[in-house]
Amino acid sequence: MAITLINPDGLPKVAIYRQVSVATGSKLIFIAGQVARTADGEPVGAGDLAAQVEQCYLNLGTALAEVGASFEDVAKLTVYLVDWTPDKMEHWIDGVKRATSKLRSTATPPLTGIGVAALAEPDLLVEVEAIAVLD
C-alpha cells in the first residue's frame, strides 16, 4: 500500500478522517470533483445530502477502480458543501458510512471540507474530489 494514514499526537483525533497521509507510491491519480449523478447523468438524491454524499463516493469508487485503485489508495479528499452548517454533519457522516459500506472500505483519508454558496448545477449539494497514489 502506498498510503499510510496517521493521527499525530498533539492534533485533534477526528473519527471520520486522519490528519496526515504519507504517500510513498510513484503514480499519482487526480480525480475531478464527483457529484450526485448516475453514469447516465441522472440526478440522485434531490434535497438529500446523505444520498448525494453516498453517490459522490460511489462515483469516486468507480473512477478509482478504473485505474486499479480503491479508497485505500486515496491520499486526500476535498469536499465542497453547499450552505454548510454544523447541523448537516450527521447527514454527511450517514452518506459516507453508506458509501464506504458498499465500497467495503474503512479508509479515512485526510479531507478538507469547504462550504460554498453553490455548485455547477442548482440541485447539487456536495462535490467530492480525490487524490490517490499507487505504487
Side-chain angles (χ1 to χ4, degrees):
M1 215 43 63
I3 302 294
T4 302
L5 302 175
I6 303 167
N7 259 338
D9 290 337
L11 292 179
K13 305 297 187 252
V14 182
I16 61 172
Y17 66 89
R18 298 297 172 259
Q19 297 284 6
V20 177
S21 174
V22 179
T24 57
S26 59
K27 184 177 185 180
L28 294 175
I29 302 152
F30 299 89
I31 300 175
Q34 296 299 303
V35 297
R37 296 285 186 265
T38 66
D40 297 327
E42 294 299 315
V44 173
D48 183 343
L49 179 60
Q52 289 199 19
V53 168
E54 179 181 8
Q55 187 65 43
C56 290
Y57 269 61
L58 294 175
N59 289 349
L60 284 173
T62 298
L64 288 162
E66 179 67 22
V67 296
S70 71
F71 263 90
E72 279 64 26
D73 301 303
V74 172
K76 175 77 167 63
L77 294 171
T78 304
V79 181
Y80 302 92
L81 298 138
V82 174
D83 297 325
W84 178 254
T85 56
D87 63 305
K88 296 178 182 177
M89 181 64 79
E90 68 182 89
H91 303 290
W92 161 256
I93 292 172
D94 182 44
V96 170
K97 285 181 179 178
R98 289 173 8 194
T100 55
S101 174
K102 288 180 180 177
L103 294 165
R104 297 187 176 135
S105 173
T106 58
T108 53
L111 66 84
T112 299
I114 302 169
V116 297
L119 292 167
E121 297 179 42
D123 65 307
L124 298 174
L125 303 175
V126 61
E127 184 169 339
V128 185
E129 64 183 27
I131 299 171
V133 180
L134 290 175
D135 289 322

